[in-house]
Amino acid sequence: MRRTDRLFDIIQILRDGKLHRAQDIADRLEVSVRTIYRDMDTLAASGVPVEGERGVGYMVREQITLPPLNLTPAELEALNLGMAIVAEAADPDLKTAAESLAEKIDAVLPTQVISEADSWKFAVYPFADAARGLAHMAPIRAAIKSRQKLRLSYRRIDGVLTERTIRPLHMEYWGRVWTLTSWCELRDGFRVFRIDLIETVLPLPEIFADEPGKRLSDYDPYA
């Protein structure tokens, strides 16, 4: 186990506020007592509120948490995208840290703000899904701006792969995943696609104009 991982595990052990003997911690982490002593000195020097001494035990009296934060939807979007970018990095430690952070944020993120009818938009592993769709964001944004048609390879929730030609109209963030509201030429109607389920995006050399009944302003999500 890397030392940074071990230090994190020690903090998790001490979070309960109880007194823990160095020997018990050493047995649990499969290291020597001397190693735990050194780790406790390191934690104390780094500002973690560790109290105790050798031969007695150690505990944390103050809660090791960040103060409550109120995030706007835009701030949450930026945070999620930032973590998705880090998760795509080659550094396995950064990837693991980003996934762990995402799980913590996801655990406290309210889901009640989304109606039950839209609950399908939430992913089982929301962070992984957000990261999967990240590569498609740029071409979709560009197509919306330029009113350019797109051809999508889209894997439905039931696993079936379909090909769609669409008029991309609007991307929306749901706190877990992104969705794309579009006019689907195959279905001759509005469709909402989860961006994390899009496998390929191909910009087409076709520009679409606003047509009554096919504009974003015509879209009724409750129809």
Side-chain angles (χ1 to χ4, degrees), residues 118-136:
D118 291 325
S119 61
W120 63 272
K121 297 184 179 71
F122 291 95
V124 176
Y125 299 105
F127 181 81
D129 289 340
R132 275 204 305 272
L134 185 64
H136 304 312

Side-chain angles (χ1 to χ4, degrees), residues 10 13-14 16 18-29 32-33 36-37 40 51-59:
I10 291 174
I13 293 172
L14 299 178
D16 61 7
K18 298 178 181 179
L19 187 68
H20 293 268
R21 296 190 312 140
Q23 183 63 62
D24 294 335
I25 298 174
D27 292 343
R28 183 168 173 176
L29 300 181
S32 68
V33 173
I36 297 301
Y37 288 155
M40 290 300 177
E51 296 184 10
E53 59 185 62
R54 301 182 181 187
V56 177
Y58 297 90
M59 64 187 303

Side-chain angles (χ1 to χ4, degrees), residues 80 102-103 106-107 109 111 114 118-133 157 173-179 194-197:
N80 194 300
E103 289 175 0
D106 191 64
L109 191 64
T111 59
I114 305 300
D118 291 325
S119 61
W120 63 272
K121 297 184 179 71
F122 291 95
V124 176
Y125 299 105
F127 181 81
D129 289 340
R132 275 204 305 272
I157 294 178
Y173 183 67
W174 294 93
R176 299 297 196 282
V177 293
W178 286 84
T179 59
R194 271 179 46 176
I195 293 180
D196 59 285
L197 298 181

Side-chain angles (χ1 to χ4, degrees), residues 1 35 48-49 52 62 77 104 111 166 176 205 210 219:
M1 179 185 294
T35 296
V48 176
E62 301 177 25
E77 173 186 332
K104 293 175 183 177
T111 59
I166 66 166
R176 299 297 196 282
D210 281 342
Y219 172 62

Side-chain angles (χ1 to χ4, degrees), residues 39-131:
D39 288 345
M40 290 300 177
D41 291 340
T42 298
L43 290 174
S46 65
V48 176
V50 176
E51 296 184 10
E53 59 185 62
R54 301 182 181 187
V56 177
Y58 297 90
M59 64 187 303
V60 171
R61 291 191 180 276
E62 301 177 25
Q63 190 176 18
I64 309 173
T65 57
L66 292 175
L69 297 174
N70 294 318
L71 301 180
T72 66
E75 289 170 339
L76 183 60
E77 173 186 332
L79 180 60
N80 194 300
L81 286 175
M83 291 186 297
I85 292 172
V86 174
E88 293 295 295
D91 189 322
D93 293 334
L94 285 178
K95 180 180 178 66
T96 300
E99 292 172 348
S100 175
L101 176 59
E103 289 175 0
K104 293 175 183 177
I105 294 173
D106 191 64
V108 298
L109 191 64
T111 59
Q112 291 81 4
V113 295
I114 305 300
S115 66
E116 291 186 4
D118 291 325
S119 61
W120 63 272
K121 297 184 179 71
F122 291 95
V124 176
Y125 299 105
F127 181 81
D129 289 340

